[in-house]
Amino acid sequence: MRQLLSLLVFLAALCTASSVSDYHEQLLLRPLHPSLLLASFNFQSNTSLASFEQQNFRYFPRSLGQILQHANTRELHLRFSLGRWDAESWGARPWGGAREGGTGVELWAWVEAETDEEADGRWLTLTNALSGLFCASLNFIDSTRTTRPVMSFQPSGDHKNSTLSDLHLLHGTLPREVVCTENLTPFLKLLPCKGKAGISSLLDGHKLFDASWQSMSIDVRPICNAGSNDCQLQITQTIDMVLDIQRSKRPRDNPIPRPVPNEELKCDTSKPYNSDNACFPLDAADQEEEWSLSQIFGHSLKGTCPLATDGADPVCINIPHTRHVYASEGAHEHKDDSGYMRCFAIDGDKDFEIVLPQQEISEKAPLEEPLLYAERSFIGYGQERGGVQAILTNPSPTNAVDFVYMESLPWFMKLYLHTLKAKINGLDEDIIKEMYYRPALDRKRGTQLEVRILIPANSTVVLTYDFEKAILRYTEYPPDANRGFDIAPAVITIGNVSIRTTSLLLPLPTPDFSMPYNVIILTSTVMALSFGFIFNLLVRRFVAMDEGDKWDVRAVRLKALAAVKRFLSRFRKTEKLEKKE
Ligand SMILES: *[C@@H]1O[C@H](CO)[C@@H](O)[C@H](O)[C@H]1NC(C)=O
Ligand SMILES: *[C@@H]1O[C@H](CO)[C@@H](O)[C@H](O)[C@H]1NC(C)=O
Ligand SMILES: *[C@@H]1O[C@H](CO)[C@@H](O)[C@H](O)[C@H]1NC(C)=O
Ligand SMILES: *[C@@H]1O[C@H](CO)[C@@H](O)[C@H](O)[C@H]1NC(C)=O
């Protein structure tokens, strides 16, 4: 009886423990355009900081937790991104750009250390360990690619006042890194359900890396309840991707895009030249493309993650309530009051599917307008000098925007600070409020430039500067030197919103690497030919077939020796003859 009672108590304890969930996951789908879909996956868990320090990790991935403890890292942000977010047609970025990095890999962290040297050492430990964990070249973030931003980044966690003074912010980027499936697998392994159940089961490398734009992020930060010592370590993992619906629907065994058959072409019949063999394709902007979860992601959702018991609906879709959406059996639909959001509660062990039939679009969910449009490009010409131009537009008719523009340039791109100019609506005006500049040192560190700019409503700022290209050493060029060098994106910070420009490709004066190769090939050929000729002359002797059998090795050797002697004596004779003459 007592045993039964204690078992009951134990079970009750288990139930109360599991009803307080610290793990949350959600997928938000948002059609951006009739044929594009934004899918945002969000995974979050909280672990008490006290138990984390005693190596009791709970939902926090142990591999990452041990790295953070070893490198004394208090806050970490890691980003893997590909593609370009088209702000003009897609609107504001998901999460206000806060979960997004520049093209390639971007990492920034607050490391606790007493001196700068100690912080550098711990940063090195961190980048090397993360490099192994995520199969990415993070170990290439050396001193030339590391900066210490002053104005652009603020810690987002709650740090104790006593440790705040010992925290060092380090930031590194790898714009050249190609994000690929080998980075997704370790990313999924950090999740409590490891991509086997719940929304993470939809993530598949083939679809993710085929997206028009994608970003994976990991953020680790401590959060404390105000006024108490009860702190949690929060890890948030997100994956955002913009999928082309038509492209995703293509079957995997037939991945090559083919022209649409004639009968399926939608033509604009109002054009005068429209006929059987002339067609002006009709813009399908008023027709929503038909899609379902399994068409887009390759398979349907495999139940829910049993650890996500916080009661949040795992799948939400942001479309007007007037639009038809069919969900599979066992799912409960919840519509919210805004008229645009509906979420689905899912039956735990059944597969889940959503189907959106093709339909006329009468109403669209509004797109949020970004605070700033930014684009950056190279200007100038020639192999020696160049320039960079950033065009920043504030679309708001009423509000001015105060932002920090940060560039971290490689050392071989030597910036001339006196050429830095900001023009507003084509006029020179003093709009740079504050500037931080750290010049480059050859082969030691890159240039760091941060400028705070106030841009008035409805205006465009053009920021330009000139630079000089350095000549590299022969061994410093990458194997594909003629491709150019990737320049990290500029980071624009507006309070809690951040925007990144695209990366740039800088062509440097490149020596002709095929020249030494040609010389080596030519000399080797000449040497091989002359060696063969002389060797032949020395040892080859023509004999009759029947004579050949009688020869043994010693005889051959003797004969070869005799041949050498004969050759030398002949050589001497000709020498003597020449002398006599
Ligand atoms: C983690 O804690 C924060 C702050 O207390 C809370 O806002 C958040 O919802 C929690 N997350 C989970 C998954 O419980
Ligand atoms: C940024 O902060 C403001 C005010 O603190 C808040 O209203 C807004 O939702 C935040 N934006 C994002 C993207 O978090
Ligand atoms: C930490 O510092 C901030 C600002 O300097 C202050 O408002 C806050 O009270 C301090 N907190 C503690 C616990 O000392
Ligand atoms: C914004 O600027 C453009 C040209 O500079 C002007 O035509 C337009 O009226 C302005 N809009 C507002 C709301 O001020």
Side-chain angles (χ1 to χ4, degrees):
M1 192 61 206
R2 261 178 76 180
Q3 272 171 349
L4 191 70
L5 204 69
S6 61
L7 189 72
L8 276 179
V9 170
F10 175 70
L11 280 180
L14 211 70
C15 287
T16 46
S18 63
S19 70
V20 191
S21 171
D22 287 326
Y23 177 64
H24 161 84
E25 61 173 38
Q26 196 166 47
L27 165 64
L28 174 64
L29 299 165
R30 184 150 66 98
L32 291 176
H33 176 272
S35 67
L36 290 176
L37 179 73
L38 167 69
S40 296
F41 293 80
N42 183 25
F43 310 92
Q44 192 178 65
S45 72
N46 288 347
T47 303
S48 131
L49 200 57
S51 68
F52 177 81
E53 272 155 14
Q54 290 156 11
Q55 308 246 334
N56 176 9
F57 293 108
R58 292 201 68 216
Y59 296 141
F60 199 94
R62 173 174 293 270
S63 49
L64 185 61
Q66 285 174 338
I67 291 174
L68 297 184
Q69 286 180 344
H70 187 64
N72 285 42
T73 304
R74 301 289 166 248
E75 188 174 325
L76 172 93
H77 304 271
L78 177 60
R79 306 281 184 266
F80 298 90
S81 317
L82 266 184
R84 166 176 173 264
W85 177 267
D86 181 2
E88 262 108 49
S89 38
W90 302 349
R93 286 146 199 270
W95 319 103
R99 309 277 175 80
E100 190 184 316
T103 311
V105 180
E106 187 171 340
L107 170 72
W108 67 102
W110 276 267
V111 175
E112 188 175 345
E114 266 153 29
T115 61
D116 281 357
E117 289 72 36
E118 198 182 17
D120 284 338
R122 288 181 175 165
W123 173 249
L124 197 70
T125 312
L126 180 71
T127 52
N128 280 296
L130 289 177
S131 165
L133 186 61
F134 290 102
C135 303
S137 322
L138 284 161
N139 51 328
F140 284 96
I141 300 186
D142 52 9
S143 66
T144 63
R145 290 172 215 247
T146 301
T147 53
R148 292 164 187 263
V150 176
M151 298 189 274
S152 296
F153 295 90
Q154 298 304 329
S156 61
D158 307 320
H159 297 278
K160 291 195 195 88
N161 282 2
S162 53
T163 57
L164 212 49
S165 54
D166 282 343
L167 288 186
H168 296 255
L169 165 64
L170 293 125
H171 178 269
T173 53
L174 284 177
R176 197 189 171 83
E177 182 81 2
V178 181
V179 184
C180 199
T181 323
E182 75 239 23
N183 308 119
L184 178 68
T185 313
F187 185 94
L188 291 181
K189 284 220 179 108
L190 300 183
L191 296 171
C193 282
K194 315 235 179 280
K196 302 277 186 264
I199 58 169
S200 58
S201 66
L202 290 176
L203 290 166
D204 167 286
H206 291 277
K207 300 287 181 188
L208 176 59
F209 298 107
D210 198 30
S212 308
W213 173 87
Q214 69 98 356
S215 169
M216 300 198 287
S217 78
I218 296 181
D219 298 86
V220 179
R221 59 180 191 148
I223 39 175
C224 301
N225 287 333
S228 80
N229 242 353
D230 160 35
C231 286
Q232 307 259 317
L233 195 67
Q234 186 179 66
I235 175 166
T236 312
Q237 285 176 260
T238 62
I239 295 189
D240 296 281
M241 51 180 157
V242 175
L243 291 158
D244 185 325
I245 297 179
Q246 274 182 359
R247 195 179 159 86
S248 302
K249 275 176 17 182
R250 223 177 286 147
R252 195 175 295 173
D253 52 355
N254 182 15
I256 302 164
R258 288 175 213 285
V260 184
N262 265 357
E263 344 34 288
E264 284 173 30
L265 271 182
K266 289 188 193 94
C267 302
D268 187 350
T269 47
S270 66
K271 296 279 174 201
Y273 49 78
N274 184 60
S275 70
D276 287 345
N277 51 13
C279 174
F280 184 84
L282 201 60
D283 188 16
D286 53 350
Q287 279 276 325
E288 169 105 42
E289 189 79 39
E290 164 199 28
W291 57 268
S292 69
L293 272 189
S294 54
Q295 280 175 335
I296 297 268
F297 293 104
H299 48 78
S300 50
L301 205 159
K302 297 196 186 88
T304 52
C305 177
L307 299 171
T309 50
D310 65 339
D313 295 331
V315 180
C316 290
I317 175 160
N318 184 12
I319 54 169
H321 287 173
T322 51
R323 199 81 60 82
H324 298 291
V325 178
Y326 304 114
S328 61
E329 225 182 305
H332 296 282
E333 184 175 337
H334 304 133
K335 291 185 178 172
D336 81 343
D337 305 330
S338 70
Y340 292 108
M341 186 72 86
R342 52 179 103 184
C343 292
F344 296 90
I346 297 180
D347 193 350
D349 22 73
K350 281 209 196 106
D351 281 8
F352 173 72
E353 176 71 289
I354 300 184
V355 179
L356 264 89
Q358 187 167 27
Q359 50 200 309
E360 293 283 318
I361 298 180
S362 48
E363 173 187 23
K364 279 185 188 167
L367 284 182
E368 205 184 320
E369 189 170 46
L371 291 175
L372 201 71
Y373 292 104
E375 55 185 285
R376 186 180 66 153
S377 53
F378 279 132
I379 51 174
Y381 52 86
Q383 294 265 299
E384 205 186 337
R385 293 200 176 84
V388 170
Q389 164 180 283
I391 302 176
L392 308 154
T393 308
N394 179 1
S396 156
T398 49
N399 298 335
V401 172
D402 184 14
F403 66 92
V404 180
Y405 177 90
M406 180 178 111
E407 288 263 29
S408 49
L409 305 172
W411 63 266
F412 45 81
M413 197 173 149
K414 295 182 191 304
L415 166 71
Y416 292 131
L417 194 62
H418 72 277
T419 61
L420 179 73
K421 281 194 184 73
K423 277 193 174 178
I424 178 155
N425 297 334
L427 303 170
D428 273 319
E429 236 176 277
D430 190 19
I431 47 165
I432 296 184
K433 301 283 164 220
E434 207 179 330
M435 173 150 47
Y436 177 85
Y437 172 63
R438 192 164 183 251
L441 291 179
D442 276 4
R443 299 184 173 82
K444 293 224 174 59
R445 67 172 196 222
T447 306
Q448 181 186 347
L449 175 70
E450 284 175 87
V451 277
R452 180 183 291 282
I453 295 177
L454 184 74
I455 168 169
N458 191 25
S459 337
T460 299
V461 166
V462 179
L463 199 70
T464 54
Y465 59 83
D466 294 346
F467 63 86
E468 191 183 67
K469 301 174 188 177
I471 307 248
L472 299 188
R473 289 184 191 138
Y474 181 71
T475 50
E476 282 167 341
Y477 286 93
D480 53 347
N482 288 304
R483 178 178 169 269
F485 289 76
D486 294 81
I487 307 299
V491 183
I492 296 159
T493 314
I494 315 163
N496 52 2
V497 172
S498 78
I499 295 171
R500 281 167 177 83
T501 64
T502 48
S503 59
L504 295 174
L505 205 54
L506 173 75
L508 280 192
T510 312
D512 179 4
F513 286 102
S514 69
M515 206 57 218
Y517 175 73
N518 293 344
V519 170
I520 291 170
I521 286 195
L522 203 72
T523 23
S524 308
T525 313
V526 169
M527 275 164 66
L529 279 177
S530 48
F531 174 77
F533 173 72
I534 293 176
F535 189 73
N536 255 342
L537 220 58
L538 289 183
V539 297
R540 196 201 267 170
R541 208 186 143 166
F542 293 96
V543 291
M545 192 93 123
D546 48 344
E547 224 180 310
D549 294 341
K550 286 179 260 162
W551 288 30
D552 62 358
V553 180
R554 243 173 96 183
V556 171
R557 206 180 289 153
L558 284 175
K559 288 239 161 104
L561 219 64
V564 173
K565 276 186 187 152
R566 209 163 45 237
F567 175 75
L568 287 178
S569 65
R570 199 187 296 162
F571 190 63
R572 277 195 208 111
K573 260 183 220 157
T574 43
E575 231 173 54
K576 273 176 201 161
L577 277 176
E578 273 168 10
K579 268 184 197 162
K580 272 179 196 164
E581 277 169 15

